[in-house]
Amino acid sequence: MVRGWFTAASGMQAQQLRLDTVANNLANVNTDGFKRDIATFKAFPELLIRRQDDDGVHLHPFGSADTAPFVGRLGTGVELNEVYTSFEQGALLQTNSDFDFALGGEGFFSISTPWGERYTRNGSFHLGMEGYLVTKEGFQVLGENGPIRVQANNFQVDRNGGVWINAAIPDEPGVMVARETNQWEDPVLLDTLKIVDFELVRYIEKQGSSMFRASETSGPAFIMEEGGRPEVLQGFREMSNVNPVVEMVKMIEVNRAYEANQRMIQTEDSALGVLINQVSRVQ
């Protein structure tokens, strides 16, 4: 009978972890480039119950017959298996800002951070104080030749991720700086956005601020070649792929499952109280 307590308690713990995942998804429903998490669970090994002193042979006056000595299977609880990220495409929001980008397909923007290279689907960028294209946190956006340095209203990004400017002069090794001009003349290819992917993208790890990092399981990031690159849309942002209605339904399911396990513990407690206080007294 005590086994019922542990089984129900494991169910409550599993639903608590599921609730944490759903709540985090709802909290980031308006976060650009956020990808929702999904919690999966697995059952503990089941117990096979069979009748004692029963070999499966039933004797009768006319001979014998085979019967199944098995009663059935008994579940012993559940545990968290993994929390993985769904990389479904989020809705695209048109902003008409030169500093907003969205990827129409698989892939990630590459970002330079103090902890190493990180990756994101959040293409809401800004122009930093030194003219570099940066994220909201101030981390530089990477091109295939290094950080991208431009000036406002003087660059365009094509569908393949190429960054074009009116005219350019060398400024620093590997960096080109745009001249301010009043007309768009003789565009020059400054660099190409570094868009990467992974062999096993499911296993990359979240690091906050809509950024990811490579793991041993996912393998290192590799630059996507022409023909397999996603379409880069300037003037658009990719929204979160969280559906608030679906997540609210999941939250209701979690609460009901949690309450069911809670009532099971109360039932087990009442039954054990009857066994101790009444049955044992009769003995």
Side-chain angles (χ1 to χ4, degrees):
M1 186 175 296
V2 177
R3 182 182 290 117
W5 284 352
F6 293 108
T7 302
S10 70
M12 292 176 67
Q13 185 178 29
Q15 296 303 326
Q16 179 63 54
L17 295 172
R18 187 184 178 196
L19 180 62
D20 293 341
T21 303
V22 173
N24 183 63
N25 290 340
L26 286 173
N28 290 279
V29 69
N30 293 320
T31 302
D32 294 336
F34 178 82
K35 300 302 178 183
R36 66 189 179 97
D37 292 325
I38 301 175
T40 60
F41 302 89
K42 64 179 180 181
F44 293 153
E46 295 180 333
L47 294 179
L48 187 63
I49 304 175
R50 59 178 296 167
R51 293 189 292 271
Q52 294 181 348
D53 301 326
D54 190 342
D55 58 4
V57 178
H58 175 64
L59 301 177
H60 55 79
F62 304 101
S64 64
D66 293 331
T67 60
F70 301 107
V71 176
R73 298 178 182 274
L74 176 65
T76 58
V78 66
E79 65 176 340
L80 178 69
N81 188 23
E82 68 169 326
V83 178
Y84 70 92
T85 303
S86 171
F87 290 98
E88 296 176 354
Q89 178 84 44
L92 301 182
L93 175 66
Q94 185 172 5
T95 63
N96 296 322
S97 171
D98 292 339
F99 297 98
D100 286 341
F101 304 94
L103 297 179
E106 299 178 353
F108 299 84
F109 297 109
S110 297
I111 309 297
S112 176
T113 73
W115 311 282
E117 195 166 315
R118 296 295 183 262
Y119 314 96
T120 185
R121 295 280 300 190
N122 184 358
S124 180
F125 302 137
H126 301 274
L127 190 63
M129 296 182 62
E130 298 180 358
Y132 290 101
L133 197 63
V134 298
T135 65
K136 291 181 178 179
E137 294 78 18
F139 302 136
Q140 295 176 350
V141 181
L142 293 177
E144 294 184 359
N145 296 320
I148 297 176
R149 194 174 186 183
V150 295
Q151 291 184 0
N153 304 319
N154 197 37
F155 75 100
Q156 292 181 353
V157 177
D158 60 29
R159 296 301 178 96
N160 292 320
V163 182
W164 298 82
I165 61 174
N166 281 9
I169 56 174
D171 181 49
E172 299 175 6
V175 178
M176 303 293 284
V177 182
R179 288 200 188 110
E180 292 185 359
T181 58
N182 296 325
Q183 297 180 352
W184 187 262
E185 299 175 351
D186 300 327
V188 176
L189 181 61
L190 173 67
D191 201 347
T192 300
L193 289 172
K194 186 177 180 181
I195 300 175
V196 303
D197 203 358
F198 301 85
E199 290 292 338
L200 297 174
V201 68
R202 174 174 174 174
Y203 298 104
I204 62 176
E205 300 174 351
K206 284 187 173 181
Q207 197 178 351
S209 300
S210 297
M211 290 195 294
F212 300 86
R213 63 181 177 185
S215 66
E216 293 183 2
T217 308
S218 69
F222 61 87
I223 299 177
M224 303 181 73
E225 301 295 338
E226 187 174 356
R229 293 168 64 91
E231 185 178 24
V232 180
L233 303 174
Q234 188 175 17
F236 289 83
R237 287 186 299 173
E238 182 181 0
M239 307 298 290
S240 166
N241 68 351
V242 176
N243 187 328
V245 176
V246 173
E247 297 301 321
M248 287 300 296
V249 172
K250 288 183 180 180
M251 183 171 288
I252 295 173
E253 292 176 353
V254 169
N255 288 331
R256 290 179 177 176
Y258 189 91
E259 292 173 356
N261 283 284
Q262 190 177 37
R263 287 194 296 270
M264 179 60 67
I265 290 180
Q266 293 173 346
T267 301
E268 291 282 349
D269 183 66
S270 299
L272 185 60
V274 172
L275 175 64
I276 294 175
N277 297 324
Q278 297 183 19
V279 177
S280 62
R281 185 181 302 172
V282 173
Q283 294 288 340

